[in-house]
Amino acid sequence: MERFIHFCVVWFLLSAPVAAQVLDTLYLPDSLGGSSELEGDVPTGLTPYTFNSVMNRLYLYSSPSDNIVVLDCQNDERTTAIHDVIPRSPWLTWAILAYNPNNNCLYRGMRGNSYSNIDSLLFVTNCSTQAIVDTITIHPEGRRILYSRYLGVNIPANKLFWSVSLDSEGPVTYIIDAQTNEIRTRIQVPPIMVHHQQRPVAYSYPTDYGDYNIPISVIDAANDTVIDTIQPPDGVSYHKVLLVSDIERMFVGAHYYYDPGRIRIVDCLTNEVIGDVPLPIRGREIAQLAYNSCNNRLYVRTSSSKVYVIDLDSNQVTDSILLQREIWSMVYNPNANHLYIAASHEVMVYDGATNGLIDEIAVPHRAMYTFLHPDANKLYVANSECISVIDCAQRQLMRCFKVAYLNRDMMWQPVTNRLYFNDIFRDDSSAILVVYDANTNLPLKVVNLAPHCPPEEWFYHMTTATRPNKIYLASGGYTGLYVLDGNTDSLKNFISCEVGGHHLLYSPRQNKLYAVPYSSINARYLYIFDCANDSIRNVIDFGECSLSSINPYTDNVYVLWGRKTFVIDGAGDTVLRVLDSTGWPIAFRNKGAIHQVYIGCPYRNRLNVLDAIADTVIDSVIDVSLGHEHFCYYDSIDDRIYYPHSNTVLVIDCPTNRITETIPFWGRSLGLRLEEHIGNPVSNRLYLTTIDSISTIGNPMVTVIDCATNTKIDSFCYFQAPTIMQWNYINNVVYVNEHVRARAIAIRDDLIGIREERAESQNRHGTALLSPSVGSRFVLRQRPKGELRLIDITGRVVGKVGRNEEVLDARCLAPGVYFATVQTQGRVELVQKLTVVR
């Protein structure tokens, strides 16, 4: 290694390019701590929650926002959510939760899909501090991890059982010591398990009724071995299992290929089948089992709308409960001897002794998942939007938590330097704005406009009028325009008009607002408002529009409609002219005495260059294949036009109107709205919402182009669906709204996280392979023939760049000196010396 280091002759690149840096993450403080959708896997019985018996808390996984909602069951108030405990990956979806009372830790493993060929991670979170204390990694050993199947804790043995499905091998269960977090062994057993509460014994069983002749495996959790099996009859599949540890009984749903289904009763002490109860349904219809401990009965919920009651003293079906609606779940309460059946928007309460209906408790949402608190005699009912808490003693709804603030739209207000988010759901609490201080990126207030709006009102789009310092909100319905005071964020005015589904466009010099109909489905009229007195100046019937833009030099408004572009006089509010065979994208070149308009001519695959005064064609950029990328960016510093197309960005030299460069970024531009691409003229950067076209399923990202060098300098790949972007020119921050995860990312262009050092012998061509990027990350300039590795001063490999990757992530590394090497034909060559700084 000393010889290796001595070989390096380095010089410091002190003027390294300034790269973008993630400054902050803004989580919207909604009623469930930033969740947007609570999800579980009903077919396999995996629920989206787990219970902390030590701290009396309920953890609920929120997808796709990737948060864990923490509900304090003592007072039914939410506490701080656990955000981003697993890095987002395009190959990993869903999550499985498990809680271990032995160490008060929460385990969260990702459920992948068939495209996954990477290691599977299990994060260990200390529930007291909500900090990740360890990470357990499953290496697929050359096989693809198709998806995770199960994650559970055997409390008596203090072991974790994590089942995954491997390509060409099927389900494999890893047994992990919860004290050391080390993988002890792996066994090939069916993927789903139930655990004995008093003895270190687990039972694994298949998930599907089509898994014929597969036995239930009896696992000694203390010694990590299979000690017995419970074999089904020939042509029978076991797919639903209920273990009742107190009575040492296990109830198994059996599906017979030709005959009706049955419930088999197993003695857990001998693992012998001691009872067999026939059912008047096919075995595949068995959806859920529940045990009545007061009357020694078993409830069998079907996949339709029926529940059968089995008397376990006689092992016979003695009754049935029929509902005229679909049943989602059921749970038995031994404290009240009641059975709760969640169906539609109600929870039906049945007497455990008589099987008669005694009450119906309405909940303001669809009842899907139910959790009975083991001590407090409370029932929690959840769906993808809400959680309701029911007092089981009073049989009354105590409260309902609504998932409210999901930032459908985002707007930056330069006068007060504030950031605004609005809600996406159409209910009585959706007329809400969440206001952030853009100086601190901390929430300032929540503005609830519901008392001033009609029922089910919501906001389609919003913008700010800087001269009068007002905020305008376009109705999602057809009611009109809401006007807020920009200083107090209070409702100042309401303009009644047919504004529904309109985009808002503000002209600062004319102090006018244009409400452009995005589709004829919502409305057909373009409204022009005077922002001084909030009056309607003109109404133009276009029938249908899509996008609009204002020329900052002439104040003329360009409105796209079908195969035409209408040019509206910004001063006179009338249509000046109609441009045929034109459409998006559009950009305005205003440089000195030159004033031009670049506008798409999609039917001739070119960009037309117009005189901005007469709107006549004076030149064209030919051989530009126009797709769905509704964005064109004018770089006033370098006098260039940037147009994202397919997997490239075209660079057009404005003096010659010719394509001079093509910037590849291994992805395609995403989105149709102008706000989904944004330029930063201060740092001379271009931000594009893109989809990685290399991966099979596509990875949403934000790609950053340096307009000075015409190179891709970074890509932020941890987004699930980046949408609207806003540039804060006061703080030089770009905000990226990711509404499906109830958050926004603040990216600043003036932070440096890496100092680059180059070696004289860095490679045969004398050019660096890696350049500084976001924070402690390196972007690949050229693709080497061999494998590129990052090693530390001891020679240990700490990072790699894969075949389809272009960024080497060093954010987890400590500050220090590292070496990038390329290995070809077994020989290691020095490529580059790099220093990670903080």
Side-chain angles (χ1 to χ4, degrees):
M1 188 64 198
E2 292 180 359
R3 182 180 180 183
F4 179 80
I5 298 175
H6 181 72
F7 184 66
C8 301
V9 180
V10 301
W11 58 277
F12 288 83
L13 182 66
L14 297 178
S15 58
V18 176
Q21 170 79 37
V22 173
L23 177 68
D24 215 341
T25 302
L26 288 68
Y27 294 100
L28 271 72
D30 71 4
S31 57
L32 282 177
S35 66
S36 61
E37 189 171 354
L38 303 175
E39 285 195 15
D41 190 355
V42 177
T44 61
L46 295 175
T47 54
Y49 56 77
T50 188
F51 180 65
N52 183 333
S53 57
V54 174
M55 302 180 68
N56 193 20
R57 291 181 175 178
L58 190 62
Y59 298 96
L60 303 105
Y61 169 60
S62 166
S63 170
S65 63
D66 252 3
N67 303 321
I68 296 179
V69 178
V70 184
L71 194 65
D72 188 342
C73 297
Q74 179 67 31
N75 51 20
D76 293 323
E77 295 287 348
R78 70 171 180 88
T79 64
T80 304
I82 304 175
H83 295 292
D84 284 337
V85 294
I86 290 183
R88 168 62 59 181
S89 166
W91 299 280
L92 296 176
T93 57
W94 294 50
I96 308 175
L97 300 181
Y99 172 74
N100 186 3
N102 295 313
N103 56 8
N104 193 28
C105 282
L106 179 70
Y107 300 87
R108 183 181 183 189
M110 293 301 292
R111 299 190 63 206
N113 54 37
S114 58
Y115 299 108
S116 174
N117 56 0
I118 58 179
D119 295 344
S120 189
L121 301 177
L122 182 66
F123 285 78
V124 186
T125 302
N126 184 296
C127 293
S128 297
T129 62
Q130 292 193 354
I132 296 176
V133 295
D134 207 347
T135 303
I136 305 170
T137 304
I138 286 184
H139 301 284
E141 302 169 5
R143 296 181 175 89
R144 291 185 302 166
I145 298 179
L146 301 182
Y147 45 85
S148 297
R149 304 294 293 267
Y150 169 81
L151 178 65
V153 178
N154 189 286
I155 297 175
N158 198 22
K159 301 280 183 67
L160 290 174
F161 287 75
W162 189 7
S163 297
V164 299
S165 183
L166 297 180
D167 185 22
S168 74
E169 189 172 351
V172 174
T173 297
Y174 290 81
I175 302 179
I176 303 167
D177 189 326
Q179 185 173 358
T180 62
N181 291 330
E182 295 180 353
I183 297 176
R184 293 176 57 90
T185 186
R186 71 172 197 166
I187 53 178
Q188 198 159 2
V189 293
I192 304 299
M193 295 190 185
V194 291
H195 296 270
H196 204 288
Q197 297 301 307
Q198 286 84 37
R199 297 190 288 119
V201 178
Y203 300 85
S204 66
Y205 63 96
T207 61
D208 189 70
Y209 57 82
D211 293 329
Y212 296 106
N213 304 326
I214 298 179
I216 296 175
S217 297
V218 184
I219 304 170
D220 183 349
N223 299 307
D224 309 329
T225 57
V226 177
I227 58 176
D228 203 352
T229 59
I230 303 172
Q231 190 72 36
D234 186 50
V236 172
S237 65
Y238 291 152
H239 66 103
K240 291 295 176 186
V241 174
L242 173 65
L243 173 62
V244 184
S245 301
D246 293 341
I247 61 173
E248 295 288 357
R249 292 291 183 269
M250 186 163 58
F251 304 97
V252 182
H255 169 63
Y256 289 70
Y257 187 76
Y258 294 107
D259 300 329
R262 312 177 80 86
I263 295 295
R264 309 198 89 196
I265 304 172
V266 178
D267 186 332
C268 295
L269 296 176
T270 63
N271 296 322
E272 298 287 339
V273 177
I274 60 174
D276 196 285
V277 184
L279 295 171
I281 57 171
R282 298 286 301 275
R284 68 176 63 186
E285 296 183 47
I286 301 173
Q288 187 183 3
L289 306 176
Y291 175 66
N292 180 338
S293 57
C294 295
N295 303 101
N296 197 28
R297 294 173 178 172
L298 184 71
Y299 300 103
V300 181
R301 178 173 70 87
T302 69
S303 56
S304 55
S305 57
K306 207 166 190 178
V307 175
Y308 290 97
V309 184
I310 298 176
D311 180 19
L312 296 175
D313 293 326
S314 61
N315 285 347
Q316 292 183 351
V317 176
T318 58
D319 203 350
S320 63
I321 301 171
L322 177 64
L323 274 72
Q324 299 301 323
R325 61 187 71 94
E326 186 177 9
I327 301 175
W328 283 97
S329 65
M330 69 177 178
V331 64
Y332 172 74
N333 183 358
N335 297 316
N337 193 17
H338 289 163
L339 176 70
Y340 305 104
I341 299 178
S344 186
H345 285 66
E346 293 176 313
V347 175
M348 322 297 288
V349 186
Y350 288 85
D351 189 298
T354 65
N355 300 323
L357 178 66
I358 59 177
D359 210 343
E360 299 180 15
I361 306 173
V363 292
H365 57 84
R366 189 173 58 173
M368 293 181 62
Y369 312 114
T370 52
F371 169 74
L372 179 69
H373 195 286
D375 303 313
N377 204 22
K378 291 187 293 188
L379 181 69
Y380 296 86
V381 184
N383 77 334
S384 61
E385 300 175 10
C386 305
I387 295 180
S388 292
V389 186
I390 294 176
D391 185 332
C392 295
Q394 301 295 325
R395 299 199 298 274
Q396 291 182 351
L397 177 67
M398 297 171 59
R399 65 185 309 175
C400 178
F401 298 89
K402 283 201 168 186
V403 180
Y405 320 138
L406 300 182
N407 55 312
R408 180 192 184 278
D409 205 355
M410 177 179 65
M411 179 202 71
W412 177 64
Q413 157 70 295
V415 179
T416 58
N417 198 17
R418 294 174 184 171
L419 199 65
Y420 292 78
F421 300 91
N422 75 333
D423 182 22
I424 191 173
F425 283 102
R426 306 183 188 184
D427 55 35
D428 56 0
S429 65
S430 67
I432 289 175
L433 294 179
V434 182
V435 187
Y436 274 77
D437 184 344
N439 288 310
T440 62
N441 290 330
L442 296 176
L444 276 178
K445 65 182 80 171
V446 174
V447 181
N448 185 7
L449 297 176
H452 310 286
C453 301
E456 299 183 359
E457 178 64 288
W458 59 290
F459 306 131
Y460 185 82
H461 195 226
M462 58 181 167
T463 193
T464 176
T466 52
R467 282 177 57 180
N469 192 16
K470 296 177 181 178
I471 297 170
Y472 290 88
L473 305 166
S475 168
Y478 300 90
T479 58
L481 203 65
Y482 297 87
V483 187
L484 305 184
D485 185 291
N487 288 315
T488 63
D489 299 317
S490 59
L491 186 65
K492 187 174 184 177
N493 202 352
F494 174 74
I495 309 172
S496 180
C497 54
E498 191 180 336
V499 174
H502 282 63
H503 282 281
L504 303 178
L505 192 65
Y506 176 65
S507 175
R509 293 205 310 177
Q510 297 293 332
N511 197 25
K512 294 177 183 177
L513 185 73
Y514 298 85
V516 184
Y518 192 68
S519 169
S520 61
I521 298 176
N522 297 317
R524 58 183 299 169
Y525 299 104
L526 180 145
Y527 284 84
I528 305 176
F529 302 92
D530 187 334
C531 295
N533 52 23
D534 294 331
S535 62
I536 301 175
R537 293 180 58 94
N538 199 3
V539 180
I540 304 176
D541 185 359
F542 281 137
E544 180 179 355
C545 304
S546 59
L547 293 172
S548 59
S549 188
I550 295 177
N551 189 330
Y553 175 74
T554 63
D555 294 330
N556 289 344
V557 179
Y558 293 75
V559 179
L560 175 66
W561 177 80
R563 300 187 178 186
K564 302 177 183 296
T565 298
F566 290 83
V567 185
I568 301 174
D569 182 5
D573 302 331
T574 59
V575 178
L576 286 175
R577 59 190 63 89
V578 179
L579 307 177
D580 291 322
S581 300
T582 58
W584 245 248
I586 189 170
F588 303 105
R589 181 193 182 200
N590 296 300
K591 192 173 183 66
I594 301 175
H595 305 288
Q596 297 173 348
V597 180
Y598 285 76
I599 189 167
C601 185
Y603 312 104
R604 299 184 63 185
N605 286 334
R606 62 178 58 192
L607 283 173
N608 282 335
V609 185
L610 310 180
D611 177 87
I613 306 300
D615 290 313
T616 56
V617 177
I618 58 177
D619 203 350
S620 294
V621 182
I622 62 174
D623 297 329
V624 179
S625 177
L626 302 178
H628 297 287
E629 295 84 359
H630 290 197
F631 179 77
C632 219
Y633 174 65
Y634 174 65
D635 171 15
S636 60
I637 298 175
D638 303 296
D639 201 16
R640 299 166 177 163
I641 289 288
Y642 291 83
Y643 170 55
H645 172 66
S646 186
N647 295 336
T648 63
V649 173
L650 304 179
V651 183
I652 301 169
D653 178 63
C654 290
T656 62
N657 288 324
R658 296 298 178 262
I659 299 173
T660 58
E661 292 186 63
T662 300
I663 307 172
F665 58 86
W666 298 349
R668 57 183 173 84
S669 181
L670 179 69
L672 300 177
R673 291 181 57 174
L674 294 178
E675 298 98 328
E676 294 176 0
H677 309 84
I678 199 166
N680 182 342
V682 171
S683 301
N684 205 14
R685 301 286 189 259
L686 175 60
Y687 288 76
L688 306 175
T689 302
T690 60
I691 282 286
D692 172 22
S693 60
I694 298 298
S695 62
T696 308
I697 59 176
N699 181 18
M701 65 177 67
V702 172
T703 296
V704 186
I705 302 294
D706 181 10
C707 297
T709 60
N710 287 334
T711 58
K712 172 191 168 184
I713 62 172
D714 217 331
S715 60
F716 301 89
C717 304
Y718 49 81
F719 292 102
Q720 184 175 354
T723 54
I724 299 168
M725 290 188 278
Q726 295 276 286
W727 176 49
N728 177 342
Y729 55 76
I730 295 177
N731 303 105
N732 196 23
V733 171
V734 172
Y735 291 97
V736 183
N737 178 21
E738 193 177 14
H739 70 89
V740 295
R741 296 180 68 185
R743 72 175 194 176
I745 304 298
I747 302 172
R748 196 163 69 193
D749 270 342
D750 55 358
L751 297 180
I752 301 177
I754 284 183
R755 181 178 60 194
E756 179 188 20
E757 302 175 16
R758 295 180 179 178
E760 292 290 341
S761 56
Q762 40 197 327
N763 57 49
R764 297 173 181 175
H765 303 286
T767 57
L769 293 181
L770 296 169
S771 294
S773 181
V774 173
S776 300
R777 297 202 296 175
F778 304 89
V779 63
L780 194 63
R781 276 189 166 181
Q782 54 180 294
R783 186 156 300 283
K785 294 182 179 180
E787 182 184 59
L788 194 150
R789 297 182 178 184
L790 189 69
I791 64 175
D792 62 12
I793 197 68
T794 67
R796 182 172 60 96
V797 177
V798 295
K800 298 179 182 179
V801 176
R803 181 182 300 274
N804 294 326
E805 296 176 346
E806 53 184 328
V807 174
L808 193 151
D809 197 335
R811 287 176 295 178
C812 298
L813 299 179
V817 177
Y818 297 88
F819 300 90
T821 66
V822 172
Q823 184 174 11
T824 56
Q825 298 179 350
R827 180 184 175 185
V828 176
E829 299 179 5
L830 173 64
V831 176
Q832 203 168 350
K833 179 181 178 182
L834 302 158
T835 302
V836 176
V837 297
R838 294 290 188 267

